[in-house]
C-alpha cells in the first residue's frame, strides 16, 4: 500500500523536509529533488507522480537527493504509485546506458516506461451473461434472440465480441442489460499469464546439439555472467539448443528475454516456442496493441510474465528477476537503433547481462566480427554446431558473371538464373529472387534533358513505386505523383526508369514465368505479424511458387520446398565504402542462400555479380566463412577499425548550412588529439541534406582502451553550439550516411 514501504531512501534534512531525488522520463540533465510530505515514505525505484511546471509527471525515485535545491523551493511528491519498484539492476542499467551512449538518463528511463498507460491500474471490464430469470421469449425481437443464443453457448462475453457474434450493435447489448434481459458482470482485466512449462519434452537432440545444450544448461544452472557465442550454420538447430537453456532458466524460477531482429517475421518462432513450452511467450514490439502493451509491461514488472520475446526495445523492460538473455541473429544491423537514443541492442544486452550477473547467448550462422573476435580472445565462450539437422546439405552457391552472361537489354535476370528458376518451377519446387531494393526503380530520369527526380528535402533520388503510382524518398518519406511533364525541360512522356527494384523484377518474372504464382515481399507489403503469418502459411501450403523480395524474406524462415535462390545484384551492398560493407554483404547473402534446400531436397543459390573475384563472392562460393572473417579481421586490425579500435561519430545538423559549417569547423579546431585518439572531418555527410536539415560529420577514431566518452564530453563542453544547431553523438556508429 502506498506510504507503507520501508524508507530506504528519503533522508530527513537536519531540520527541513525529507527529500528524494526523482528521475523523470525526459531529456533533463539528471534527477530533481522533491520534498516528501509527512506520512509518505518512498524507496529507490518507486514510481511516483510529481509536479513539473504546471503539470504532473511520473518519475522514479533515484536516491536521496543532493540538497542542491534550497528546502524552501522544493515541491512535494504528489503520490507514490501502487507498483513494484523499478528493480535496482534496471536502474543501474539506465545509468550505464546513459553514460555509454552519452544521453541524459531520463531519455533512457523513458525507454523503460514506454507507455504511461502502462502505469494505470488494470481496469475491470464488463462482460455479459444470461439473466436469471430469462426474459419472456415472445416479447423479444429476432436480434435480441440472437444475443441470448450466443450467450447460451458458454461463458460471459465482452460487449463488443457479443455484438459481433450475434450480429447486433453494441448499443443493443447495453440496452438489453439496462432492461434486465441479460446481466452485466465485472471481469478482471488482467487474466493470469499462462506459464511456459520447462518440463515438456523437446525433440531428441543430436550428439552435437546435446553437447551444446548440456553446456548451456550447466551455465544457466550455475548462474553468473558469461557470454556464449552459439555458432551454427543455418538449420543446425540453434533454436532447439537455446530452448534448452531457456528451459533451465525457467526451471530455476528465473525470467528470460529473447531478442529477435525482426519480431514481425517470427510467427514460426512463436509456434516453435509454443510447441516446446506449451504456451506462447509474451511479445514486445512496436505493433503491440496499447492494452496488451500495458498488460505486458506490468506483468514483466510483477514477474507474472516469465519469457519475453521482443525487438531491441524489450531490453529495457523492468525484469525483476531476469536469469538469461538470448540474442538471436546477433549480427543483425537491425539491433542498432538509429534514432532517439542511439544504441546497439546486442552490446547493451551484454552489458545488461553483466550488470545482472547472468548468462547471455549470442546465436548466429554468420556472427559479427566483433563477436567472433571476442570468442577468439576468450572473452566469450564458443559453442559450435557444424552440421545442418537431418543431414540437409548447405546450398551450392555459384556466381553468375554478368559480363559473360548478361541479361537481355533492359532486363535484369541472366540466362543461367532464368534457367535455374525454370527448372525449379518445373520440378514443382519453389524459388526466391532477392534484391534489397524496394519499389520499381531507384532512379527516374528525363530522356530529353537528363533531369533526375530528387527529394527536395534530402540528398537522395526518389524511388518509383508502381504499386502506389508514386515517387517516394526512402529517407524521409516525401512522396509525390510522377509529374506529367519534366520539371527540367517541360518534355512530356520523357521519363525512363533506371535500374531495378523488386517491383520491376516481379514484372520481368511475370513475363518469363507466366504460370508461376509470385509474390513481392517488402516492408511495403509485409506490414505486420498477421501479414507475415499469412505469407508463411501460403509458402508452406505451396500456394506461392516464386517469392520476390528484399531482406524481409532473407531471415528465419524454414520452407522445405524452397530450393533455388537468385540474388539479383550481389554487388549492391559493397558500394559505398562503409567499413562493414563486406561483412554485411557476406552475412546477408549467406543468409539468403541459406533459405534454399532446408530439408531433403538439395538447394542452390546463384549470385549475379560483375566482380566474381571479389573476396566476399569468392568466400561465399567456397563456403569459407572463417577464411573471410580472418581476412576481414586482418584488414581492420591494420587500420585500427572496430573491433580493434573504437569509433564515434558527431553529426552536426541544422537548417542554416553556413551555421552548421561554422559549428562543425569550431568542433574540428577544438577536437581532442593524441596518441590514442584522432578526429577526422568535418565532411558533408553522404546524406548532406536530410529532412531539410544540413548535415556534417566528424569521426572520432580511438584506441580500444581509450575512454572516448570522457574525451567527447570535455570536447563538447569547450565548443558553444547555438540552439538552432544540433550535435548528435553516435557511439559505435553502424550507419555512415
Ligand atoms: P537454426 O536456428 O540453427 O537455423 P533451427 O533450430 O531452426 O536451426 O532448426 C532447423 C530445423 O530443424 C527446424 O525445423 C527444427 O525444428 C529442426 N530440428 C533441429 N534440430 C532438431 C532435432 N534434434 N530434432 C528434430 N528437429 C530438429
Ligand atoms: Zn527525402
Amino acid at each position: 500500500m502506498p506510504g507503507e514501504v520501508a524508507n530506504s531512501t528519503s533522508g530527513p534534512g537536519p531540520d527541513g523536509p525529507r527529500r528524494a531525488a526523482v528521475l523523470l522520463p525526459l531529456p533533463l540533465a539528471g534527477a530533481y529533488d522533491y520534498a516528501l510530505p509527512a506520512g509518505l515514505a518512498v524507496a529507490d525505484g518507486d514510481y511516483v507522480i510529481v509536479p513539473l511546471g504546471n503539470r504532473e509527471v511520473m518519475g522514479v525515485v533515484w536516491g536521496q537527493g543532493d540538497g542542491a535545491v534550497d528546502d524552501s523551493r522544493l515541491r512535494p511528491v504528489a503520490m507514490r504509485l501502487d507498483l513494484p519498484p523499478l528493480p535496482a539492476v534496471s536502474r543501474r542499467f539506465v545509468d550505464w546506458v546513459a553514460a555509454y551512449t552519452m544521453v541524459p538518463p531520463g531519455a533512457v528511463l523513458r525507454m523503460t516506461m514506454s507507455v504511461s498507460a502502462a502505469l494505470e491500474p488494470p481496469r475491470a471490464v464488463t462482460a455479459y451473461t444470461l439473466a436469471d430469470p430469462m426474459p419472456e421469449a415472445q416479447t423479444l425481437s429476432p436480434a435480441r434472440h440472437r444475443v441470448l443464443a450466443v450467450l447460451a453457448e458458454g461463458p460471459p462475453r465482452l460487449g463488443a465480441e457479443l455484438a459481433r457474434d450475434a450480429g447486433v450493435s453494441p448499443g443493443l447489448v447495453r440496452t438489453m442489460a439496462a432492461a434486465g434481459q441479460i446481466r452485466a458482470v465485472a471481469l478482471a482485466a488482467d487474466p493470469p499469464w499462462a506459464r511456459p512449462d520447462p518440463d515438456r519434452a523437446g525433440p531428441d537432440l543430436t550428439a552435437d546439439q546435446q553437447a551444446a545444450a548440456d553446456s548451456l544448461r550447466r551455465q544457466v544452472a550455475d548462474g553468473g555472467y558469461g557470454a556464449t557465442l552459439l555458432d551454427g550454420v543455418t538449420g543446425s538447430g540453434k533454436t532447439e539448443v537455446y530452448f534448452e537453456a531457456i528451459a533451465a532458466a525457467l526451471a530455476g524460477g528465473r525470467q528470460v528475454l529473447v531478442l529477435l531482429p525482426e519480431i514481425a517475421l517470427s510467427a514460426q518462432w512463436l509456434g516453435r516456442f509454443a510447441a516446446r513450452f506449451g504456451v506462447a511467450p509474451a511479445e514486445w514490439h512496436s505493433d503491440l496493441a496499447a492494452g496488451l502493451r500495458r498488460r505486458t509491461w506490468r506483468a514483466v514488472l510483477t514477474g507474472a510474465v516469465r519469457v519475453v520475446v521482443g525487438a531491441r526495445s524489450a531490453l529495457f523492460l523492468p525484469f525483476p528477476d531476469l536469469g538469461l538473455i538470448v540474442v538471436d541473429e546477433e549480427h543483425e544491423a537491425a539491433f542498432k537503433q538509429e534514432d532517439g537514443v542511439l544504441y546497439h541492442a546486442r552490446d547493451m544486452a551484454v552489458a545488461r547481462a553483466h550488470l545482472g550477473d547472468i548468462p547471455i547467448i549470442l546465436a548466429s550462422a554468420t556472427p559479427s566480427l566483433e563477436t567472433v573476435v571476442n570468442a577468439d580472445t576468450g572473452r566469450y565462450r564458443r559453442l559450435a554446431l557444424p552440421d545442418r539437422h537431418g543431414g540437409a546439405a548447405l546450398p551450392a552457391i555459384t556466381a553468375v558473371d554478368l559480363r559473360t552472361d548478361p541479361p537481355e537489354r533492359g532486363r535484369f535476370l541472366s540466362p543461367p538464373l532464368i534457367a535455374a528458376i525454370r527448372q525449379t518451377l518445373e520440378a514443382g519446387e519453389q524459388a526466391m529472387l532477392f534484391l534489397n531494393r524496394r519499389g520499381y526503380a531507384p532512379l527516374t530520369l528525363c530522356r530529353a534533358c537528363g533531369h533526375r527526380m530528387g527529394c527536395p528535402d534530402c540528398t537522395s533520388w526518389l524511388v518509383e513505386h508502381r504499386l502506389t503510382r508514386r515517387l517516394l524518398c526512402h529517407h524521409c518519406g516525401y512522396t509525390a505523383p510522377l509529374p506529367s511533364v519534366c520539371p527540367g525541360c517541360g518534355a512530356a512522356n520523357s521519363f525512363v526508369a533506371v535500374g531495378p527494384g523488386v517491383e520491376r523484377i516481379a514484372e520481368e518474372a511475370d513475363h518469363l514465368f507466366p504460370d508461376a504464382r509470385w509474390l513481392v515481399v517488402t516492408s511495403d507489403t509485409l506490414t505486420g505479424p498477421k501479414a507475415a503469418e499469412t505469407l508463411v502459411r501460403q509458402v508452406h501450403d505451396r500456394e506461392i511458387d516464386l517469392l520476390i523480395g528484399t531482406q524481409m524474406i532473407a531471415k528465419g524462415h524454414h520452407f522445405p520446398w524452397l530450393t533455388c535462390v537468385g540474388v539479383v545484384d550481389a554487388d549492391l551492398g559493397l558500394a559505398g565504402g562503409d567499413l562493414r560493407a563486406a561483412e554485411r554483404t557476406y552475412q546477408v547473402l549467406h543468409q539468403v542462400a541459406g533459405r534454399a534446400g532446408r530439408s531433403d531436397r538439395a538447394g542452390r543459390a546463384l549470385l549475379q555479380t560483375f566482380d566474381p573475384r571479389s573476396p566476399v563472392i569468392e568466400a561465399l562460393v567456397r563456403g569459407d566463412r572463417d577464411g573471410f572473417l580472418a581476412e576481414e579481421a586482418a584488414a581492420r586490425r591494420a587500420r585500427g577499425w572496430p573491433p580493434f579500435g573504437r569509433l564515434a561519430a558527431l553529426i552536426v545538423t541544422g537548417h542554416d548550412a553556413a551555421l552548421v559549417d561554422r559549428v562543425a569547423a569550431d568542433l574540428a579546431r577544438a577536437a581532442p588529439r593524441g596518441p590514442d585518439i584522432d578526429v577526422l572531418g568535418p565532411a558533408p555527410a553522404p546524406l548532406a541534406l536530410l529532412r531539410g536539415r544540413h548535415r556534417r560529420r566528424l569521426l572520432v577514431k580511438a584506441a580500444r582502451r581509450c575512454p572516448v566518452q570522457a574525451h567527447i564530453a570535455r570536447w563538447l563542453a569547450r565548443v558553444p553550439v547555438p540552439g538552432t544547431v544540433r550535435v548528435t553523438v553516435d557511439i559505435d556508429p553502424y550507419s555512415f550516411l
Side-chain angles (χ1 to χ4, degrees), residues 202-206 209 230 232-243 272 328-329 363-365 385 387-390 556-558 595 598:
D204 290 331
L205 299 181
T206 64
Q209 291 173 341
L230 183 58
V233 297
T234 39
S236 58
K238 294 185 293 296
T239 313
E240 303 295 346
V241 168
Y242 72 63
F243 276 177
R272 286 174 65 183
D328 203 349
E329 312 286 4
S364 176
L385 295 174
D387 303 315
R388 278 191 153 181
H389 177 71
H557 300 294
H558 183 64
R595 297 306 111 205
R598 301 255 299 179

Side-chain angles (χ1 to χ4, degrees), residues 455-460 462 473-478 689-692:
C455 175
D457 297 325
C458 304
T459 316
S460 72
L462 294 174
C473 172
H474 284 183
H475 293 288
C476 75
Y478 170 88
L689 186 67
L690 177 62
R691 298 187 181 90

